[in-house]
Amino acid sequence: EYKVNDYTYAISQDRRLSNVPLRRDGTYTIRELYEALAIYSANAATIAIAETIAGTETEFLKLMNAKAEELGLEDYKFVNSTGLNNSDLQGMHPQGTGANDENVMPAKSVARLAYHLLHDYPEVLETTKINTKIFREGTTDATKMDNFNFMLPGFVYEYEGVDGLKTGTTEFAGYNFTGTAKRDDRRVIAVVMKAVDANGVGSYKARFDATRALFDYGFSQFSEVEFVPAGYQFDKQKELGVIKGKEKNVSIAVKEPIRMMVKTSEKDLYVPELVIDESKMTDGVLQAPIEKDTVVGHVKLVKTEGTDYGFIDDKNSGTAVVTVDAVDKAGWFALMMGAIGDFFAGIWTSAIDFVKGLFK
């Protein structure tokens, strides 16, 4: 539960902002505040959750920055938990930030954040797909919350498969939407920023029209392709050398299939490339003992023509290459005999080189 303080009370009473009203002496569950955040963009509820997690919004900013770094987001700046301009926070903005500072983040980083949210916490969709809910139903504070995602079923810009995620509108950022839709087994994420119509005017319709165009493009122009099956071996390198083992070589193969969503017309432009992890090698070979399924490298897909825009998460652009079998360490006698053999082979090679040198 969360107990309202002066900060969250004051913000919740600002009717210029998206909010559900909070009572000065009120106590609210995190679930109802979260629903107000996810469905109705309630700003005071967002601050309340940030304070619950970190103690203060100032401390929550530190967690935001740490998480952004962990996820590999780029070119972002967080100045509060809501996305509002700090000037909207009535002088109570987080410490260390300016009174008129803005949050900023490029579309690619927003898409990556959305991807990780959906991947790590898919239950978020159980809330973001709710089109209407009553906050504090049955009380005098009851507030109807119509989801600002008007592409949900039953709304004016309904689009098949839409179940999230979040709209946002500020004077600085314009009309924005990070939306997601799923059809069959394919999920698409679309990020729209500062949407405007043909006349350059921003509006709800402009952002949903732009999102619809991106969804249509994603579902019609892209398909999932299996480029490399599990167990695939590269013709030019099916094995790696082994030292101090009962075997001289060990077979290597792709552990899991590589399936990738790519533009259908460009699927033949991608070729798999083997990348060996040199940190696992000793003078270019593996050292026994070696367990089966030891990761020795990975496969990446290389686009042979045109611009490669990469993937939301680069970890999805390849798969591990592993050893097919185990190789036990050779016994001391075999290792000794091998060392003797290497010694005499070295002498023989030196002798041949010496004789060849005499006839140059």
Side-chain angles (χ1 to χ4, degrees):
E1 292 187 333
Y2 171 81
K3 184 171 178 57
V4 175
N5 57 33
D6 290 343
Y7 180 24
T8 47
Y9 172 74
I11 298 301
S12 77
Q13 301 303 309
D14 189 341
R15 305 310 291 174
R16 299 171 305 158
L17 308 176
S18 180
N19 269 312
V20 291
L22 304 179
R23 289 187 174 270
R24 187 184 293 275
D25 59 349
T27 299
Y28 299 83
T29 67
I30 297 302
R31 176 171 292 279
E32 62 185 337
L33 292 172
Y34 164 67
E35 290 174 344
L37 176 163
I39 298 170
Y40 204 51
S41 299
N43 289 286
T46 302
I47 297 168
I49 292 174
E51 290 181 340
T52 302
I53 292 172
T56 65
E57 191 177 21
T58 298
E59 289 300 311
F60 188 74
L61 277 186
K62 297 177 183 178
L63 299 182
M64 291 174 71
N65 282 309
K67 177 59 70 172
E69 183 176 358
E70 176 190 330
L71 298 180
L73 307 188
E74 298 178 348
D75 301 326
Y76 59 87
K77 178 183 177 183
F78 299 133
V79 299
N80 57 53
S81 63
T82 61
L84 294 171
N85 184 298
N86 269 356
S87 63
D88 293 319
L89 301 180
Q90 303 181 33
M92 295 177 282
H93 53 84
Q95 296 175 14
T97 65
N100 294 294
D101 279 355
E102 295 277 8
N103 298 277
V104 293
M105 187 185 292
K108 186 173 183 180
S109 288
V110 174
R112 178 172 289 184
L113 180 60
Y115 166 81
H116 283 286
L117 176 62
L118 293 170
H119 182 270
D120 298 340
Y121 304 99
E123 62 270 25
V124 69
L125 295 172
E126 294 303 311
T127 306
T128 60
K129 70 182 182 182
I130 296 172
N131 56 13
T132 300
K133 185 157 188 169
I134 305 298
F135 179 78
R136 293 250 137 168
E137 187 171 11
T139 73
T140 56
D141 293 335
T143 303
K144 184 182 180 185
M145 300 187 297
D146 285 328
N147 200 315
F148 287 110
N149 177 4
F150 296 161
M151 300 187 83
L152 288 169
F155 284 155
V156 62
Y157 301 113
E158 178 179 349
Y159 188 92
E160 180 188 350
V162 168
D163 50 8
L165 271 166
K166 199 71 210 78
T167 58
T169 308
T170 68
E171 183 177 351
F172 170 72
Y175 289 83
N176 309 287
F177 183 39
T178 300
T180 185
K182 185 177 182 181
R183 293 181 179 178
D184 298 323
D185 293 328
R186 186 186 311 176
R187 179 169 291 281
V188 172
I189 296 170
V191 179
V192 170
M193 293 182 167
K194 221 173 185 71
V196 296
D197 60 21
N199 297 316
V201 178
S203 65
Y204 287 170
K205 183 178 187 302
R207 76 170 158 209
F208 294 126
D209 284 348
T211 303
R212 177 179 296 274
L214 286 174
F215 281 157
D216 287 345
Y217 179 68
F219 283 119
S220 65
Q221 299 296 318
F222 288 76
S223 58
E224 188 177 60
V225 178
E226 181 174 291
F227 290 96
V228 177
Y232 176 85
Q233 291 185 296
F234 287 83
D235 290 336
K236 294 183 179 180
Q237 192 162 9
K238 294 184 177 182
E239 298 178 328
L240 289 177
V242 177
I243 58 171
K244 298 184 179 181
K246 290 185 177 181
E247 306 291 339
K248 295 286 187 181
N249 299 285
V250 63
S251 295
I252 59 174
V254 175
K255 183 172 178 62
E256 302 288 345
I258 298 181
R259 297 187 182 94
M260 204 64 60
M261 190 76 68
V262 297
K263 196 171 183 180
T264 307
S265 61
E266 296 180 346
K267 64 180 181 180
D268 294 332
L269 298 180
Y270 291 88
V271 295
E273 182 178 288
L274 174 63
V275 180
I276 296 297
D277 185 351
E278 296 298 333
S279 69
K280 304 289 183 69
M281 312 291 284
T282 302
D283 295 327
V285 295
L286 297 171
Q287 182 171 306
I290 303 166
E291 295 182 358
K292 181 180 178 181
D293 287 335
T294 296
V295 176
V296 295
H298 68 276
V299 180
K300 68 176 183 179
L301 291 179
V302 178
K303 192 176 183 182
T304 57
E305 295 178 20
T307 302
D308 187 353
Y309 294 103
F311 301 90
I312 288 179
D313 186 347
D314 292 335
K315 294 177 183 178
N316 281 345
S317 61
T319 190
V321 174
V322 300
T323 53
V324 175
D325 303 300
V327 178
D328 294 329
K329 188 174 183 178
W332 69 268
F333 183 76
L335 290 174
M336 181 183 69
M337 294 304 293
I340 293 173
D342 291 341
F343 173 75
F344 283 107
I347 292 178
W348 177 253
T349 300
S350 297
I352 291 175
D353 291 341
F354 173 73
V355 173
K356 287 181 177 178
L358 295 176
F359 293 94
K360 283 186 179 180

